[in-house]
Amino acid sequence: MTKEASKNIAKLLKESNYAVIVTGAGISTESGLPDFRSQGGLWDGRRPEEISHASKVGTDEFRDFFTKRLNDAAEHKPNAAHRLLADWEKKGLVQSILTQNIDGYHKAAGSKKVLELHGHLRYLTCNGCGRDYDVSKFTVEHSDACLDCEGTVRPNVTLFGEELPHLAWSEAIQEARKADLVIVLGTSLQVWPFNSLIDEAYQGGNAARIVIVTESETPYDGIASIRLHDKITAALQAVNEYLV
């Protein structure tokens, strides 16, 4: 990232009245967490809409896949980018974070206003009676049978074939519409309806400025005020030098 770009992003943050951060897998891969879609990622050579589909709950393939996800999320930790965003929130520079990620790293790093729109891996829930379970039921016991009913225990994530949680999604839309600045970090913005949040912000009453920092191309590159293909941690650290 050039000094000029760093200064410009810092200036946008300082001048913004309502800055919203939008994050995807790219911010967590810098913690060492495998992503879904890139070459060599968890989906490489496989069809995610089949492995992580609601119809697969209760199958060995589904349980094995999410056991790996749970183990990976526990093995790795939030990185400097997560911590910087939490610090910016405390300083009033960032108002909310809207994330596709299910690893929970934003909250673990100290961010308070986080909408985990695709769910989280902090605990499991029976899809029958709603009883919550520790993740060890998958990772240690290798079981998804509920102890109270005939339901199946599963992670609290939105699967293919399911709608996003209504209340969280409605809140996310409101956050996007209030934004006058959106900084996109580590998502290719390919997944609908999550990517429509950019439209809500850009076309909203505050006509949000869009900053995109991700290595892959996105469908929204053309409307970005600043477009960078840098590593996220390095980019945020460079911006932070002009915020202190």
Side-chain angles (χ1 to χ4, degrees):
M1 177 188 282
T2 66
K3 288 185 177 180
E4 191 65 24
S6 302
K7 288 181 181 178
N8 288 340
I9 296 174
K11 185 174 185 290
L12 288 174
L13 271 169
K14 290 177 180 178
E15 294 177 349
S16 171
N17 291 315
Y18 209 93
V20 172
I21 307 295
V22 172
T23 69
I27 192 171
S28 294
T29 55
E30 293 187 21
S31 291
L33 191 68
D35 76 347
F36 282 85
R37 297 179 182 278
S38 65
Q39 185 174 3
L42 290 176
W43 296 135
D44 192 16
R46 304 198 291 177
R47 298 187 63 183
E49 63 272 22
E50 293 181 358
I51 301 170
S52 190
H53 194 277
S55 64
K56 292 291 187 178
V57 173
T59 66
D60 290 341
E61 184 181 29
F62 179 89
R63 185 169 53 253
D64 291 346
F65 176 79
F66 275 100
T67 294
K68 176 171 174 53
R69 287 296 285 168
L70 288 159
N71 284 330
D72 284 339
E75 178 183 349
H76 300 91
K77 303 298 177 187
N79 59 48
H82 295 102
R83 294 191 293 272
L84 270 177
L85 292 176
D87 183 58
W88 291 356
E89 180 187 4
K90 290 176 184 176
K91 293 177 178 177
L93 294 167
V94 167
Q95 276 61 57
S96 64
I97 297 174
L98 314 180
T99 187
Q100 293 173 286
N101 298 340
I102 61 175
D103 51 55
Y105 287 176
H106 285 299
K107 290 189 175 183
S111 292
K112 303 299 183 185
K113 186 62 180 291
V114 182
L115 294 178
E116 298 168 314
L117 293 170
H118 289 177
H120 62 81
L121 296 174
R122 284 185 290 278
Y123 55 85
L124 311 173
T125 300
C126 173
N127 66 2
C129 66
R131 174 176 170 174
D132 293 333
Y133 287 87
D134 187 86
V135 296
S136 62
K137 188 159 181 61
F138 264 22
T139 60
V140 178
E141 297 178 27
H142 305 293
S143 170
D144 57 13
C146 180
L147 301 177
D148 289 345
C149 73
E150 296 182 356
T152 303
V153 177
R154 53 164 285 180
N156 285 282
V157 300
T158 300
L159 302 171
F160 289 93
E162 296 179 330
E163 295 183 356
L164 294 177
H166 178 71
L167 291 178
W169 178 242
S170 296
E171 187 175 356
I173 291 175
Q174 294 306 311
E175 288 297 300
R177 289 174 178 172
K178 287 189 287 187
D180 58 7
L181 173 65
V182 173
I183 300 179
V184 178
L185 302 172
T187 170
S188 60
L189 296 173
Q190 299 287 341
V191 177
W192 186 88
F194 185 85
N195 58 5
S196 68
L197 293 171
I198 308 303
D199 299 301
E200 296 287 351
Y202 187 68
Q203 299 169 10
N206 293 318
R209 303 284 292 275
I210 310 296
V211 174
I212 300 177
V213 184
T214 188
E215 294 189 83
S216 59
E217 304 297 325
T218 86
Y220 294 89
D221 289 354
I223 66 171
S225 298
I226 300 175
R227 177 64 174 98
L228 300 169
H229 295 272
D230 298 38
K231 293 288 187 181
I232 294 166
T233 299
L236 297 191
Q237 288 173 332
V239 171
N240 197 56
E241 291 183 8
Y242 295 96
L243 295 174
V244 296

